[in-house]
């Protein structure tokens, strides 16, 4: 992995690499990252990191508005896209308790919508009805197909969002290969978690059912060829969903943790209470449990009752 930052800043370096892989420009990433480059660690440097990345995203948004006003719509759309990339990659680095976090995430939603409006009419925001609420999602239509097309449902991981899925370029690539792609913020992720309070749970077939029900109601989906792919923690969610939701034609576990609870216990034992900044705080937020990790009198890492229950 490209290590822009030195010292215990793995999570920031991951964000830099992911941003460059998702269409970020290296001079903008450098400009965004410089304010926090000399920070001692990611906890103390978090305000500087947010300040730097937000400044670049805000500047691009202003440039996009000027380009749109001048009639340069493609330029405007490209700038909105990069602004959204920088916001969604920086937002995932923040503590859930930071008061700025949700407003910052809203910037990513707004930037993505402008991107769709200006340069990607093939993608639209949709809502998947779910248990009296709905799951926010993006739908990217297959290119070059007449009528019905096979469709991939895409689920994200522990700390990624539908914006990460979209900006990765994977839905666009699949679209060019003749597949629709439904990119979903499942319970415990993205907008579903941040603005709707929907928490993760083991019975992922419930989310799969909602997604398939929604797709069967569309007139551009071949309902006999609906599949499911999940990356990272999404790859853990997928096998159970496919076992119970029989309408799925295929399923892909992309980088799965095959026994997520066991993996997390091992991580706690090896790396302690802060393997990645805000990690356990984020895990508890995703699964909807109060509490925090603690150490026993023997100094070996353990968890609070609520943390153990979340596994």
């Amino acid at each position: 992995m490209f290590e822009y930052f030195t010292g215990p800043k793995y999570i920031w370096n991951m964000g830099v690499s992911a941003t460059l892989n998702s269409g970020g420009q290296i001079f903008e990433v450098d400009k965004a990252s410089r304010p926090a480059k000399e920070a001692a660690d990611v906890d103390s440097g978090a305000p500087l990191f947010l300040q730097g990345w937000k400044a670049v995203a805000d500047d691009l948004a202003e440039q996009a508005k000027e380009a749109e006003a001048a009639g340069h719509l493609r330029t405007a759309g490209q700038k909105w896209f990069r602004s959204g990339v920088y916001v969604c990659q920086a937002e995932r680095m923040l503590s859930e308790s930071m008061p700025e976090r949700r407003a910052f995430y809203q910037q990513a939603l707004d930037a993505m919508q402008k991107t769709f409006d200006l340069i990607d009419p093939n993608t639209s925001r949709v809502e998947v009805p779910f248990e009296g609420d709905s799951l926010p999602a993006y739908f990217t239509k297959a290119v070059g197909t007449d009528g019905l097309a096979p469709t991939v449902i895409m689920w994200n991981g522990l700390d990624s969002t539908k914006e990460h899925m979209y900006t990765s370029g994977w839905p666009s690539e699949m679209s060019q290969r003749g597949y629709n792609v439904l990119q979903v913020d499942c319970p415990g992720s993205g907008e579903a978690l941040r603005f709707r309070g929907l928490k993760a749970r083991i019975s992922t077939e419930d989310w799969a059912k909602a997604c398939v029900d929604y797709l069967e109601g569309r007139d551009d989906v071949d309902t006999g060829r609906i599949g499911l792919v999940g990356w990272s923690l999404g790859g853990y969610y997928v096998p159970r969903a496919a076992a119970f939701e029989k309408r799925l034609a295929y399923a892909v576990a992309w980088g799965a943790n095959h026994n997520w609870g066991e993996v997390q216990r091992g991580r706690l034992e090896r790396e302690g209470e802060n393997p990645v900044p805000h990690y356990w705080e984020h895990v508890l937020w995703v699964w909807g449990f109060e509490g925090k990790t603690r150490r026993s009198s023997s100094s070996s890492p353990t968890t609070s009752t609520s943390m153990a229950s979340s596994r």
Side-chain angles (χ1 to χ4, degrees):
M1 182 173 68
F2 171 58
E3 295 186 351
Y4 178 92
F5 295 96
T6 59
K9 302 181 182 111
Y10 162 80
I11 193 71
W12 287 356
N13 286 323
M14 183 186 75
V16 166
S17 296
T19 301
L20 294 174
N21 285 335
S22 298
Q25 294 193 358
I26 194 165
F27 79 95
E28 291 171 343
V29 174
D30 174 55
K31 184 178 180 180
S33 300
R34 279 181 179 242
K37 192 168 187 179
E38 302 305 321
D41 53 58
V42 294
D43 286 323
S44 63
L48 292 173
F49 189 89
L50 173 60
Q51 171 190 325
W53 283 67
K54 187 176 188 305
V56 171
D58 288 350
D59 183 54
L60 275 168
E62 290 304 313
Q63 292 179 36
K65 293 174 186 176
E66 292 172 4
E68 185 175 2
H72 305 308
L73 302 186
R74 184 156 184 82
T75 296
Q78 291 169 341
K79 289 180 181 293
W80 277 119
F81 175 83
R82 293 206 310 280
S83 179
V85 167
Y86 300 146
V87 171
C88 74
Q89 290 292 347
E91 187 269 347
R92 76 190 296 193
M93 307 298 164
L94 305 179
S95 167
E96 183 273 331
S97 61
M98 287 188 74
E100 306 97 325
R101 183 169 189 176
R102 286 165 180 78
F104 195 37
Y105 180 66
Q106 183 63 51
Q107 280 190 238
L109 300 180
D110 296 342
M112 290 300 102
Q113 187 58 56
K114 292 295 293 185
T115 301
F116 305 155
D117 293 343
L118 293 171
I119 60 172
D120 186 13
N122 203 42
T123 300
S124 60
R125 178 188 172 87
V126 300
E127 298 284 341
V128 176
F130 178 72
E131 298 182 353
D133 204 323
S134 61
L135 302 176
Y138 298 144
F139 188 87
T140 300
K141 289 177 61 67
V143 172
T145 60
D146 295 324
L148 306 181
T151 301
V152 184
I153 303 164
M154 190 175 187
W155 287 353
N156 45 28
L158 179 68
D159 64 345
S160 59
T161 68
K162 63 188 182 302
E163 289 71 44
H164 294 106
M165 292 189 282
Y166 174 74
T167 59
S168 74
W170 194 84
S172 175
E173 181 64 27
M174 292 302 292
S175 169
Q176 293 295 327
R177 293 169 183 258
Y179 288 80
N180 299 319
V181 183
L182 179 69
Q183 305 131 69
V184 187
D185 274 339
C186 298
S189 70
E191 194 177 347
L193 175 65
R194 287 154 178 76
F195 294 147
R196 306 188 187 186
L198 299 175
K199 308 295 186 177
R201 63 182 188 233
I202 297 300
S203 52
T204 58
E205 65 272 18
D206 298 339
W207 317 341
K209 178 182 184 303
C211 292
V212 176
D213 286 348
Y214 166 77
L215 292 173
E216 287 190 336
R218 293 184 62 105
D219 61 6
D220 52 2
V221 171
D222 181 345
T223 58
R225 293 193 291 169
I226 295 174
L228 175 63
V229 59
W231 67 19
S232 194
L233 182 58
Y236 172 76
Y237 293 152
V238 162
R240 175 178 172 122
F244 288 95
E245 177 45 74
K246 302 301 185 182
R247 292 173 293 174
L248 292 169
Y250 59 90
V252 178
W254 188 349
N257 292 308
H258 300 100
N259 186 333
W260 199 74
E262 181 179 340
V263 168
Q264 300 315 301
R265 281 190 290 273
R267 189 169 201 176
L268 188 61
E269 291 166 1
R270 290 191 313 273
E271 303 172 43
E273 298 182 12
N274 206 30
V276 173
H278 325 302
Y279 183 78
W280 299 117
E281 174 192 71
H282 188 82
V283 168
L284 292 171
W285 184 34
V286 166
W287 291 94
F289 287 85
E290 299 296 329
K292 61 181 181 180
T293 58
R294 59 178 173 82
R295 290 187 179 274
S296 69
S297 57
S298 65
S299 296
S300 61
T302 185
T303 59
S304 64
T305 300
S306 56
M307 183 69 181
S309 299
S310 73
R311 293 169 178 166

